[in-house]
Amino acid sequence: MDYFVWVVRSDRRTVVVDTGFGRAEGIRRGRTLLAPVEAGLAALGVAPAAVDDVVLTHLHYDHAGGLALFPHARFHLQEQELQFAVGVHMTDSSRGSAYVADEVAEVVRLVHAGRVRFPGADDELFPGLSLHAVGGHTGGTQVVRVTTARGPLVLASDAAHFSANIEQRRVFAVTHEPERLLEAYATRLPGLVDDPADIIPGHDPLVLARHPAAGAGLEGHIARLSGVPLVVDAPVLSCVGENDTG
């Protein structure tokens, strides 16, 4: 499995999607962190302290483990996901084990500090970038739709770990509501793109194989999903790979 953090960038703004996980948490879970998030962002010329907006697709450790990297950002999270992460389902280890209590508590502190925005189920964050609640994997998983020069892309995050989940209608083992994911595979996600190939899975190593590198020396590490040169108001998406060698 690969682990992705995304940068959505246009000539007007930079938005980060998910924050990855740190070395200590990786060690605790038997993961080998090969590319720290901050190093990948630096390779793209992105200073975390300058990022104003971060989308959290959900609060699992590998998607919300780097909150402190973005001291000035506003975080965008489905309210249902936070409720899920502090509610009764956390007493079930099959659902709660992927959450880190300290990270969830930090999100609560950010809420009280006025730094968390709760979008609607289908919410335009900025022109060309919208958030869509799909649930399934967790109680409040959301995906990100981005308009690029070649058309819309969907960062599916863990709504689809691998392309095969969608193609074969098979959900990943860690799933809260399988029936919701199957519905998402059939209608919800395809309805957000022109081509199903533009649904980008959350952990599939094929992402790096299918898309060109974002620049010289970034092969196998950071990909550009838009596939064409940047034009006005057409974001460029790149990934920061965190590879699990376990």
Side-chain angles (χ1 to χ4, degrees):
M1 293 176 66
D2 283 357
Y3 295 75
F4 298 112
V5 167
W6 299 104
V7 172
V8 183
R9 183 162 56 188
S10 74
D11 60 341
R12 296 185 179 183
R13 60 178 54 89
T14 296
V15 178
V16 172
V17 178
D18 288 336
T19 64
F21 64 89
R23 193 172 304 279
E25 187 62 25
I27 291 172
R28 191 175 78 83
R29 293 176 180 267
R31 270 69 171 166
T32 301
L33 180 60
L34 301 179
V37 172
E38 56 268 34
L41 294 175
L44 297 175
V46 176
V51 173
D52 293 326
D53 293 278
V54 174
V55 174
L56 298 174
T57 61
H58 60 299
L59 294 179
H60 278 177
Y61 81 96
D62 52 325
H63 295 261
L67 301 174
L69 288 174
F70 304 93
H72 305 299
R74 176 178 56 167
F75 295 90
H76 303 268
L77 173 73
Q78 290 291 323
E79 183 179 9
Q80 188 174 359
E81 176 65 7
L82 184 56
Q83 293 173 345
F84 183 77
V86 299
V88 65
H89 292 295
M90 295 302 99
T91 64
D92 175 1
S93 62
S94 69
R95 291 175 170 83
S97 61
Y99 291 88
V100 177
D102 285 346
E103 293 170 359
V104 175
E106 179 58 24
V107 173
V108 173
R109 284 190 284 268
L110 290 168
V111 171
H112 284 267
R115 292 180 55 198
V116 176
R117 174 182 176 271
F118 296 109
D122 293 282
D123 193 288
E124 185 179 63
L125 180 56
F126 299 112
L129 193 158
S130 56
L131 309 179
H132 304 271
V134 296
H137 176 59
T138 67
T141 297
Q142 62 183 348
V143 303
V144 183
R145 184 180 189 268
V146 183
T147 302
T148 75
R150 72 181 186 88
L153 300 173
V154 166
L155 303 176
S157 183
D158 289 5
H161 281 63
F162 304 96
S163 294
N165 294 132
I166 300 174
E167 295 163 358
Q168 300 173 22
R169 298 294 193 268
R170 294 191 303 161
V171 301
F172 190 70
V174 181
T175 299
H176 172 51
E177 295 179 305
E179 66 280 3
R180 287 193 66 184
L181 277 191
L182 291 174
E183 187 280 330
Y185 297 161
T187 60
R188 181 79 159 137
L189 297 180
L192 295 172
V193 294
D194 298 329
D195 184 341
D198 290 326
I199 302 171
I200 310 300
H203 289 277
D204 200 330
L206 290 176
V207 170
L208 292 176
R210 291 171 174 169
H211 298 277
L218 300 179
E219 295 80 6
H221 173 41
I222 302 180
R224 168 179 280 190
L225 300 187
S226 61
V228 296
L230 180 67
V231 299
V232 175
D233 290 329
V236 169
L237 292 85
S238 301
C239 77
V240 179
E242 291 180 295
N243 297 307
D244 174 9
T245 60

